């Protein structure tokens, strides 16, 4: 699943094995990103803790909005793994396969409400030129209805996917084949 020869810990610790079983039960698969990290259980646990906190915990951002950020960041970075995996998540959560495809290809043509547009414009600018973020960018988010905690969450999700995109690209991480046909 990657270009690196990093076999998983064998046997997997009981907690990790159970986590993978839950993934298989809920998702129908164990995401390759988790399998890729299984060579070092501490790294896997750090990755999953951060992912679960950013993507699943309480936030002023919906799960769909967080997945939309993941897709836009991954599209800008041309991350094959995350475009496939999170594009499928957007299709699932939105019930709209066209939205998932538009976000992967060019979010600027997607039918977005002003709140989503402001959020994704900020995530895109943060990805393309983070040093150019200024108060007017945060003001645009506030004008669209986001609070300061929401702005933090937008930045944290975008930052996380900028990091994971680079690891996925550096290792030639391959998406699970099931993502490609999911929720179309």
């Amino acid at each position: 699943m990657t270009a690196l020869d990093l076999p998983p810990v064998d046997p997997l610790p009981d907690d990790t094995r159970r986590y993978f079983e839950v993934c298989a039960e809920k998702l129908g698969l164990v995401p390759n990103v988790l399998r890729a990290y299984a060579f070092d259980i501490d790294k896997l646990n750090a990755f999953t803790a951060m992912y679960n906190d950013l993507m699943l915990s309480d936030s002023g951002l919906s799960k769909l909005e967080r997945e939309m950020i993941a897709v836009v960041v991954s599209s800008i970075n041309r991350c094959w793994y995350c475009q496939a995996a999170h594009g499928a998540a957007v299709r699932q959560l939105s019930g709209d396969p066209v939205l998932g495809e538009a976000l992967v290809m060019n979010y600027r043509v997607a039918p977005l409400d002003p709140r989503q547009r402001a959020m994704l414009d900020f995530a895109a600018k943060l990805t393309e030129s983070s040093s150019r973020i200024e108060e007017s960018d945060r003001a645009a988010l506030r004008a669209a209805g986001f609070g300061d905690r929401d702005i933090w969450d937008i930045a944290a999700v975008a930052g996380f996917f900028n990091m994971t995109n680079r690891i996925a690209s550096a290792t030639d991480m391959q998406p699970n084949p099931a993502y490609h046909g999911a929720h179309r």
Side-chain angles (χ1 to χ4, degrees), residues 87-162:
V90 166
R91 292 190 303 270
Q92 177 187 19
L93 292 168
S94 69
D96 183 355
V98 174
L99 176 63
E101 294 301 304
L103 294 180
V104 165
M105 294 179 192
N106 178 2
Y107 83 94
R108 291 172 181 91
V109 302
L112 303 171
D113 65 37
R115 174 183 160 95
Q116 294 167 335
R117 174 87 47 207
M119 175 187 75
L120 296 178
D121 285 346
F122 185 86
K125 185 173 182 179
L126 190 61
T127 299
E128 294 169 334
S129 55
S130 63
S131 67
R132 296 184 61 212
I133 295 290
E134 51 193 35
E135 186 54 37
S136 62
D137 299 302
R138 289 180 291 276
L141 289 173
R142 289 182 189 107
F146 292 103
D148 285 359
R149 171 60 195 266
D150 301 327
I151 295 169
W152 179 277
D153 288 353
I154 293 166
V157 172
F160 178 79
F161 281 95
N162 273 292

Side-chain angles (χ1 to χ4, degrees), residues 32-113:
N32 283 347
V33 66
L34 299 181
R35 292 184 186 278
Y37 269 94
F39 76 95
D40 183 322
I41 300 305
D42 289 337
K43 288 186 183 348
L44 172 63
N45 290 341
F47 172 85
T48 58
M50 180 65 91
Y51 176 89
N52 290 338
D53 178 66
L54 293 173
M55 301 300 285
L56 303 175
S57 68
D58 289 338
S59 173
L61 305 178
S62 69
K63 175 72 172 137
L64 174 59
E65 288 170 330
R66 290 178 269 185
E67 289 291 349
M68 292 168 75
I69 294 167
V71 172
V72 168
V73 168
S74 300
S75 176
I76 291 166
N77 290 327
R78 301 194 190 304
C79 178
W80 171 235
Y81 183 94
C82 290
Q83 287 180 83
H86 297 282
V90 166
R91 292 190 303 270
Q92 177 187 19
L93 292 168
S94 69
D96 183 355
V98 174
L99 176 63
E101 294 301 304
L103 294 180
V104 165
M105 294 179 192
N106 178 2
Y107 83 94
R108 291 172 181 91
V109 302
L112 303 171
D113 65 37

